[in-house]
Amino acid sequence: MNRLLETGTATVRNVDCQGMCRHRSPEECASHTHLVFPYRGVYLRHVGGEQAVADANHVLFFNKGQGYQVSHPVVGGDASLVLSVDEATLRELAPKSLVCESADFAFNQQHLRIDARAQALVMLIKHSLQNGSIEPFEAEGLSLTLASRALGPRTSRVQGASYARRRLVDRVKVLLAGDLSRRWTLGEVAAEIKGSPVYLTQVFQQVEGMPLYRYHVRLRLARALDLISGREDLSGLAQDVGFSSHSHFSAAFKQHYGVTPAEFRSNSR
């Protein structure tokens, strides 16, 4: 764990995990409430009988005093940016629909899907703090912007999916995150999870509120955000994260993040 920022307003840490435990870990307990933004790899977080897939398309909520376990269904480990702000700030930022009705502040969900701009903010904060190209004052502002965006109306709150459908979608998420360079076909994914392509696309859309292909593209782009600061060969990077060409990668990147890969790399440096 590497602490990148600590002020009276925000604390930002970078956490790398080797992901050696395939089965559930011993129960842990968060000492304070924080937001976790996975940006590399994938793991599962278990709270009671519920589970959440931790990948780069989501923010996870760790509540103070709440027990949880983790498991790693895919080898390779994972990494996350962890953001902590005080309870008063969380109460100001979080909509009431996300908060438990109790005296102590706690989120009532394990995770939410974040949008592309929040993904870009995660990596901009990480790269800028790691290479010392940002002042603490600016980092505080970006951190609060990230928290606001992750908790705000742009996040996904798809309701009504059954337990079985959520678990099916979880299996798909783990499958895709386990090999981002592979150019899957819908038939191959459906065969892996032993369902039909039509059923798979319908269920995924219902649970996640977005098409399966777009979800996969965002996972690939999030991995590119992680790697881009240290890469000169952007064509090679495009191939590494599964895009068929640099032009395809660059167009998707700009569509999601509003800048080209080269522009984002320059900003992050």
Side-chain angles (χ1 to χ4, degrees):
M1 179 175 63
N2 181 22
R3 187 160 296 181
L4 303 178
L5 176 73
E6 185 172 17
T7 71
T9 301
T11 299
V12 177
R13 294 172 290 152
N14 187 59
V15 178
D16 282 287
C17 178
Q18 293 183 349
M20 304 300 292
C21 180
R22 296 295 298 275
H23 304 290
R24 290 195 187 195
S25 67
E27 187 170 86
E28 304 174 60
C29 189
S31 60
H32 58 282
T33 300
H34 50 271
L35 281 62
V36 176
F37 297 89
Y39 62 84
R40 175 174 58 80
V42 61
Y43 65 93
L44 298 177
R45 178 173 182 257
H46 310 271
V47 177
E50 294 293 321
Q51 73 176 27
V53 176
D55 66 19
N57 283 335
H58 289 86
V59 55
L60 278 79
F61 305 122
F62 285 66
N63 290 322
K64 179 180 178 180
Q66 183 180 55
Y68 66 91
Q69 298 169 289
V70 297
S71 60
H72 299 84
V74 176
V75 297
D78 56 82
S80 302
L81 195 76
V82 179
L83 172 61
S84 304
V85 296
D86 61 62
E87 182 177 317
T89 301
L90 285 176
R91 287 189 182 276
E92 186 175 353
L93 291 174
K96 291 182 178 179
S97 60
L98 270 181
V99 181
C100 295
E101 295 182 1
S102 60
D104 296 326
F105 181 90
F107 291 104
N108 59 21
Q109 298 188 39
Q110 277 210 68
H111 70 337
L112 289 175
R113 182 162 48 79
I114 58 175
D115 67 1
R117 298 302 173 90
Q119 285 181 328
L121 263 177
V122 169
M123 299 316 299
L124 183 62
I125 291 169
K126 172 183 173 286
H127 290 317
S128 299
L129 287 172
Q130 284 183 329
N131 62 31
S133 63
I134 188 173
E135 294 292 331
F137 184 41
E138 184 180 1
E140 288 177 317
L142 289 178
S143 296
L144 292 183
T145 299
L146 173 59
S148 177
R149 193 166 191 103
L151 298 172
R154 301 174 185 85
T155 55
S156 171
R157 291 181 177 83
V158 180
Q159 303 291 339
S162 68
Y163 176 85
R165 290 191 168 200
R166 294 199 307 271
R167 283 301 177 95
L168 174 66
V169 169
D170 285 352
R171 288 167 55 200
V172 175
K173 292 178 184 177
V174 170
L175 181 68
L176 296 179
D179 188 358
L180 291 177
S181 64
R182 178 169 174 175
R183 294 172 190 167
W184 292 94
T185 67
L186 184 57
E188 289 172 342
V189 176
E192 287 286 339
I193 60 106
K194 296 180 172 56
S196 75
V198 171
Y199 181 71
L200 173 62
T201 54
Q202 290 175 343
V203 169
F204 200 94
Q205 177 76 43
Q206 180 198 14
V207 173
E208 282 299 316
M210 71 187 309
L212 175 57
Y213 172 75
R214 187 181 302 168
Y215 189 94
H216 190 211
V217 168
R218 285 193 180 180
L219 286 180
R220 287 174 163 176
L221 290 174
R223 181 61 175 147
L225 289 173
D226 177 30
L227 297 172
I228 199 168
S229 181
R231 298 290 290 269
E232 298 299 331
D233 180 11
L234 294 181
S235 295
L237 175 60
Q239 295 287 330
D240 289 346
V241 295
F243 286 91
S244 58
S245 66
H246 177 266
S247 60
H248 181 203
F249 168 60
S250 184
F253 196 100
K254 186 166 186 178
Q255 179 185 9
H256 280 76
Y257 304 129
V259 293
T260 66
E263 289 169 339
F264 183 88
R265 181 180 60 185
S266 177
N267 292 337
S268 68
R269 289 177 173 177

